[in-house]
């Protein structure tokens, strides 16, 4: 019986070692106020518990390249004014930076393809975004209630969520790509300063209250 237990223990130990060494899964950890997990050799930022005004997310955490900012990771970080993301980030999750009222500067890396729902919703000081060339998806209410002045959605975008820029009262000009075939419901609702919209010419539908 003891020998059987020893064999089981050895097998489990070898499996755990293989998982850790191979970066298949590494449990939650933190560095400099940034919590993260590593899975399949890639790191996801899961939470921020610091109080810095400027945050630089490192390119690697726990030996894994950072590829995602997870859901609600920086939500309600009231002191946060500037965030620098590494070039390896491809995904920004739902509510990742929502309700950060002092966030005014964030770089969106060229590798970024996905911005989740309400990712920057309620970032009332956010005035400028440099749009990445490979972006494909902008989620529902992703930039609602921000202070963007100009929006140039890149040609790579094929999915624009509902209410993506609603109640952005500072917004003056918008340029939409030819790849976008529809403007969903409430996309620019409440954008009272909007005076110019340019569209590439492949529009097929404009949703309810899209420009109301």
């Amino acid at each position: 019986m003891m020998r059987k237990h020893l064999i089981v223990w050895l097998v489990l130990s070898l499996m755990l070692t293989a998982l850790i060494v191979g970066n298949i899964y590494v449990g939650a950890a933190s560095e400099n106020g940034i919590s993260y997990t590593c899975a399949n050799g890639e790191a996801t930022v899961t939470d921020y518990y610091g109080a810095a005004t400027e945050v630089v997310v490192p390119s690697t955490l726990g030996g894994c390249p950072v590829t995602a900012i997870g859901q609600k990771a920086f939500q309600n970080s009231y002191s946060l004014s500037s965030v620098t993301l590494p070039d390896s980030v491809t995904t920004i999750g739902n509510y990742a930076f929502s309700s950060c009222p002092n966030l005014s500067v964030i770089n969106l890396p060229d590798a970024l393809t996905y911005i989740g729902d309400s990712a920057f919703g309620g970032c009332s000081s956010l005035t400028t975004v440099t749009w990445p060339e490979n972006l494909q998806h902008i989620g529902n209410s992703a930039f609602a209630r921000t202070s963007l002045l100009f929006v140039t959605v890149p040609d790579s975008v094929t999915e624009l969520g509902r209410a993506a820029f609603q109640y952005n009262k500072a917004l003056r000009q918008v340029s939409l790509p030819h790849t976008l075939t529809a403007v969903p419901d409430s996309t620019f609702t409440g954008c009272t300063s909007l005076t110019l919209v340019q569209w590439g010419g492949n529009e097929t539908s404009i949703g309810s209250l899209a420009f109301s």
Side-chain angles (χ1 to χ4, degrees):
M1 180 65 70
M2 183 176 294
R3 183 168 177 238
K4 182 179 180 180
H5 287 169
L6 179 60
I7 292 173
V8 171
W9 182 84
L10 287 173
V11 170
L12 291 175
S13 297
L14 289 171
M15 289 175 62
L16 180 60
T17 301
L19 289 173
I20 294 174
V21 172
N23 283 328
I24 297 173
Y25 176 78
V26 179
S30 63
E31 294 182 17
N32 299 320
I34 298 175
S35 298
Y36 65 92
T37 58
C38 284
N40 298 317
E42 298 180 351
T44 297
V45 175
T46 58
D47 194 13
Y48 175 69
Y49 54 87
T53 58
E54 299 181 1
V55 171
V56 177
V57 177
S59 58
T60 61
L61 288 168
C64 302
V66 177
T67 60
I69 307 300
Q71 181 171 310
K72 300 181 179 181
F74 289 88
Q75 186 182 46
N76 297 324
S77 295
Y78 297 111
S79 62
L80 193 62
S81 63
S82 173
V83 176
T84 301
L85 301 178
D87 292 338
S88 52
V89 169
T90 61
T91 301
I92 295 177
N94 297 343
Y95 301 94
F97 294 94
S98 68
S99 300
C100 294
N102 293 307
L103 180 63
S104 60
V105 178
I106 185 165
N107 72 306
L108 298 180
D110 284 339
L112 186 69
T113 61
Y114 186 95
I115 297 176
D117 296 347
S118 298
F120 297 94
C123 294
S124 55
S125 296
L126 187 62
T127 59
T128 304
V129 169
T130 301
W131 300 95
E133 296 179 354
N134 296 305
L135 185 63
Q136 298 174 15
H137 177 94
I138 298 175
N140 299 331
S141 302
F143 293 91
R145 301 182 187 276
T146 60
S147 295
L148 296 176
L149 298 173
F150 307 97
V151 169
T152 300
V153 178
D155 290 343
S156 55
V157 171
T158 57
E159 297 178 340
L160 182 62
R162 297 185 306 276
F165 299 97
Q166 74 170 353
Y167 297 114
N168 193 332
K169 296 182 179 181
L171 186 60
R172 300 174 187 173
Q173 297 182 17
V174 171
S175 178
L176 301 175
H178 65 87
T179 51
L180 195 65
T181 59
V183 177
D185 296 349
S186 303
T187 300
F188 297 102
T189 293
C191 296
T192 53
S193 298
L194 185 60
T195 58
L196 177 63
V197 177
Q198 297 175 312
W199 203 348
N202 287 332
E203 60 269 23
T204 58
S205 66
I206 296 179
S208 174
L209 305 177
F211 293 96
S212 66

